[in-house]
Amino acid sequence: AQKITQTQPGMFVQEKEAVTLDCTYDTSDQSYGLFWYKQPSSGEMIFLIYQGSYDEQNATEGRYSLNFQKARKSANLVISASQLGDSAMYFCAMRDYNYGQNFVFGPGTRLSVLP
Amino acid sequence: DTGVSQNPRHKITKRGQNVTFRCDPISEHNRLYWYRQTLGQGPEFLTYFQNEAQLEKSRLLSDRFSAERPKGSFSTLEIQRTEQGDSAMYLCASSLVDGESSYNEQFFGPGTRLTVL
């Protein structure tokens, strides 16, 4: 069965520093997509970045980059130059094509950016 | 386009009552998803529609839950005989899927927070 693990319930980072949020996943399929979403206190899920299982390059979107290590089944999110507005819950999710169209989400990591 | 909208944003009800939530997806999106999120957890998939057809339902979707998307546009999620365990945030998401690929960015609405007393 699909499973997403995020081992860091909470993380603190100083403003302007970089932070890595961990995500490991479990799937037996070769074709899947990995996503990161941000959920601020307002509740809305905001898409950040995507990595396909066949993508050879690590995905980057502005200050967000994804450290994809397929053999280790990890897809860590790196946020560079943290800003106070980055304080939120961060969810790693996977869409495994052979298991249908839904996403499986991890339990999330709460990131707090300190001034 | 104003994104995915959900109504109401908050709903408080007494145990045993029926409740209905509405989701309006992004207009050109053909897929619509419902998720449930309890405090401190990630969203859990409930069901999804491709246009008006309900193609997949989670085991989480008990007989008390029913979802419809009658014209392939907005969707409703009804919970009958609510229980305290139904208290959660109900999230709707939509996506435009053209062909089959693992990339399927879902755009989420703000959610409906249900409290069952």
Side-chain angles (χ1 to χ4, degrees):
Chain A
Q2 302 165 286
K3 186 177 179 181
I4 298 284
T5 302
Q6 294 179 256
T7 58
Q8 307 152 315
M11 288 282 286
F12 291 90
V13 65
Q14 207 69 38
E15 192 178 8
K16 299 181 185 177
E17 293 185 350
V19 63
T20 298
L21 306 183
D22 294 342
C23 171
T24 57
Y25 58 92
D26 187 18
T27 180
S28 57
D29 194 36
Q30 296 301 310
S31 178
Y32 51 88
L34 296 156
F35 302 75
W36 277 91
Y37 281 84
K38 171 184 177 181
Q39 188 177 42
S41 56
S42 59
E44 191 162 348
M45 300 284 283
I46 301 168
F47 168 74
L48 296 178
I49 196 167
Y50 162 82
Q51 179 85 42
S53 59
Y54 292 117
D55 294 342
E56 295 184 354
Q57 302 276 349
N58 284 343
T60 60
E61 289 285 348
R63 295 186 299 110
Y64 304 108
S65 60
L66 203 151
N67 183 2
F68 180 47
Q69 298 185 46
K70 191 171 182 177
R72 297 181 60 186
K73 294 187 176 178
S74 74
N76 299 338
L77 177 70
V78 180
I79 305 175
S80 62
S82 298
Q83 302 172 356
L84 295 178
D86 293 335
S87 295
M89 284 291 290
Y90 288 80
F91 292 98
C92 180
M94 177 173 67
R95 177 175 180 261
D96 187 329
Y97 177 71
N98 282 345
Y99 281 91
Q101 304 300 320
N102 58 291
F103 281 16
V104 174
F105 283 85
T109 295
R110 180 170 297 282
L111 177 66
S112 298
V113 180
L114 305 174
Chain B
D1 185 5
T2 57
V4 180
S5 62
Q6 292 186 246
N7 288 288
R9 295 292 308 276
H10 303 274
K11 179 70 177 178
I12 299 174
T13 191
K14 292 183 179 179
R15 187 177 56 184
Q17 297 294 306
N18 298 343
V19 294
T20 299
F21 311 140
R22 176 178 170 126
C23 171
D24 287 89
I26 294 172
S27 58
E28 65 269 23
H29 283 185
N30 52 1
R31 286 193 181 163
L32 187 148
Y33 307 77
W34 285 99
Y35 292 85
R36 182 175 70 186
Q37 184 178 23
T38 53
L39 201 61
Q41 300 296 319
E44 297 172 293
F45 170 76
L46 293 178
T47 187
Y48 95 95
F49 293 83
Q50 169 90 8
N51 299 314
E52 67 276 6
Q54 188 174 18
L55 296 187
E56 190 173 342
K57 292 194 290 186
S58 161
R59 287 172 295 178
L60 292 174
L61 211 66
S62 76
D63 292 344
R64 296 183 298 106
F65 288 70
S66 63
E68 294 182 343
R69 194 183 183 198
K71 298 182 179 179
S73 56
F74 74 92
S75 175
T76 57
L77 177 67
E78 181 183 16
I79 309 175
Q80 297 182 326
R81 305 181 302 282
T82 52
E83 302 173 355
Q84 288 183 324
D86 297 332
S87 295
M89 176 77 87
Y90 290 84
L91 293 167
C92 175
S94 71
S95 66
L96 176 63
V97 178
D98 180 11
E100 300 294 352
S101 75
S102 64
Y103 180 73
N104 179 20
E105 179 186 345
Q106 296 185 8
F107 295 83
F108 282 80
T112 295
R113 182 169 296 283
L114 173 66
T115 302
V116 182
L117 301 175

